[in-house]
Amino acid sequence: MSTTSISLDRSFSYESATHSYDIKWTSLGSPSSPPLIFIHGTPWSSIVWHQFALSLAHSHHVYLFDNPGFGSSPLGRPLPGVAISEAEELDADLARQSEVYAALYKYWERNKSEGWNGRNPSVVAHDHGGLMALRGHLLHDLQYSKLCLIDVVAIPSPDGRKKPFFELVSENRGVFEDERWSDANGRLWEGLVEGYIRDAAYRELDAGVMAQLKEPWTKRGIEGRKGFVRQTVGAARRDVSAVESRYAEVAGKMRVRIIWGGEDRWLPAETAGRLADALGEDEGCVRVIEEAGHLIMYDQPARLGIELALWAAES
């Protein structure tokens, strides 16, 4: 798959009760076209959506952005004099990221130059972007015309277990943040991140894609390493309790599509059916794509592209 990159050439500044943010974003396509938002998860960035955004921009006004601490958006900065707890730092329930996303959504909505003209956007979300999209709707009153959830973090595993690697990092955070990883010119750390990313894919990723996906965590020194560890520890403590009991409220409000990689080792394909049930949808909304892992957009880009195009064209 091509490694074509789109520049996030615009900035959105936002200040919450505890942090200030500078979110990088861009839009593609005609403002007169229906709006469509892509949301990425961890440890990725909006780069995973670039090829699909370019295609769908022919029929939609497409929005891309990097979450705080991912890609080109810096981590939120604590406000002077505000004490930040470990829970707030980790943002395990994605409350902070979802608040920033909601503020950005509302900025687009009220900005007449963006051309929404009272139309609700379609939303495509991957990984923890799914929980962000659902929190946005249920807790921040963001209205969507359609919602496409792709291999998303949204419901706990049946046994409550987390991915073993998440647990290992969470229990040994200081070890993984230790600067001595740099003693081998960063190669040990780079190998660990590469192995982690490979585990998300069913097929071998080409060198260009791998370089793009690992760069934020391996080429930015100690801050990149700490960022990767912070996101991994946050994933180990991920909490959906604030919204899980309200998922059934989604039914009937928007058209929902759930797409899953049949060989997703991080979130098994059976999760798609359980999520459909939780959302009050029948399994007719589920599409399982075989020979695809968690990084379905790289394992099966053509098949995912067709599914997204069909879903986006539905009225």
Side-chain angles (χ1 to χ4, degrees):
M1 185 175 180
S2 169
T3 57
T4 299
S5 184
I6 297 168
S7 174
L8 302 188
D9 55 1
R10 294 189 245 183
S11 293
F12 171 70
S13 296
Y14 175 71
E15 189 171 291
S16 71
T18 59
H19 291 77
S20 62
Y21 299 91
D22 181 24
I23 301 302
K24 303 302 180 184
W25 68 279
T26 197
S27 64
L28 310 171
S30 170
S32 64
S33 297
L36 187 155
I37 300 169
F38 281 98
I39 309 176
H40 71 82
T42 183
W44 327 111
S45 71
S46 62
I47 202 166
V48 301
W49 295 128
H50 286 187
Q51 293 294 322
F52 307 98
L54 288 168
S55 294
L56 287 170
H58 293 292
S59 56
H60 289 75
H61 191 197
V62 175
Y63 294 84
L64 293 167
F65 69 100
D66 283 346
N67 283 315
F70 295 86
S72 55
S73 292
L75 188 67
R77 298 176 297 278
L79 297 177
V82 175
I84 304 300
S85 68
E86 182 185 39
E88 289 174 317
E89 179 218 359
L90 293 174
D91 194 23
D93 60 0
L94 300 180
R96 280 173 41 205
Q97 289 190 55
S98 300
E99 179 184 350
V100 176
Y101 158 60
L104 180 58
Y105 172 111
K106 291 173 182 178
Y107 166 76
W108 291 330
E109 184 180 38
R110 66 176 178 265
N111 188 341
K112 292 183 179 179
S113 66
E114 292 302 313
W116 283 20
N117 297 319
R119 293 172 295 186
N120 294 331
S122 301
V123 174
V124 179
H126 175 246
D127 191 82
H128 82 213
L131 181 54
M132 288 177 58
L134 290 165
R135 286 185 68 102
H137 173 63
L138 294 168
L139 301 182
H140 297 279
D141 197 33
L142 307 187
Q143 301 302 309
Y144 311 141
S145 63
K146 290 179 287 189
L147 177 61
C148 184
L149 302 169
I150 303 174
D151 294 80
V152 295
V153 174
I155 52 175
S157 63
D159 61 6
R161 290 278 295 175
K162 305 291 185 180
K163 195 169 182 288
F165 180 71
F166 293 167
E167 294 179 331
L168 179 66
V169 176
S170 183
E171 293 166 4
N172 300 276
R173 183 173 180 178
V175 173
F176 286 92
E177 289 182 338
D178 196 303
E179 293 192 19
R180 286 173 290 183
W181 282 93
S182 301
D183 286 352
N185 297 317
R187 291 175 185 168
L188 287 174
W189 178 255
E190 188 165 347
L192 184 148
V193 174
E194 262 197 42
Y196 178 86
I197 293 171
R198 282 199 180 99
D199 192 51
Y202 175 75
R203 302 178 186 278
E204 187 70 21
L205 297 169
D206 70 46
V209 168
M210 176 61 78
Q212 283 185 328
L213 295 179
K214 72 182 182 182
E215 186 273 335
W217 316 114
T218 61
K219 304 301 182 184
R220 301 182 186 179
I222 185 63
E223 289 308 311
R225 184 159 64 252
K226 285 185 175 180
F228 181 88
V229 172
R230 180 177 55 254
Q231 297 303 328
T232 306
V233 176
R237 304 181 191 181
R238 188 71 74 231
D239 180 14
V240 303
S241 60
V243 288
E244 186 184 12
S245 64
R246 297 183 56 186
Y247 284 169
E249 297 176 28
V250 174
K253 291 185 178 179
M254 65 195 76
R255 187 184 297 274
V256 176
R257 179 63 45 80
I258 299 173
I259 301 176
W260 224 269
E263 281 67 51
D264 189 334
R265 289 186 288 266
W266 288 12
L267 299 168
E270 58 85 18
T271 309
R274 292 197 297 115
L275 179 58
D277 289 342
L279 293 172
E281 300 282 344
D282 62 47
E283 293 203 13
C285 75
V286 175
R287 303 288 187 271
V288 175
I289 297 180
E290 302 300 333
E291 298 187 3
H294 193 68
L295 282 174
I296 190 172
M297 59 282 292
Y298 295 111
D299 286 327
Q300 292 287 355
R303 292 179 63 185
L304 178 59
I306 290 170
E307 291 289 351
L308 286 176
L310 292 171
W311 166 80
E314 291 176 353
S315 59

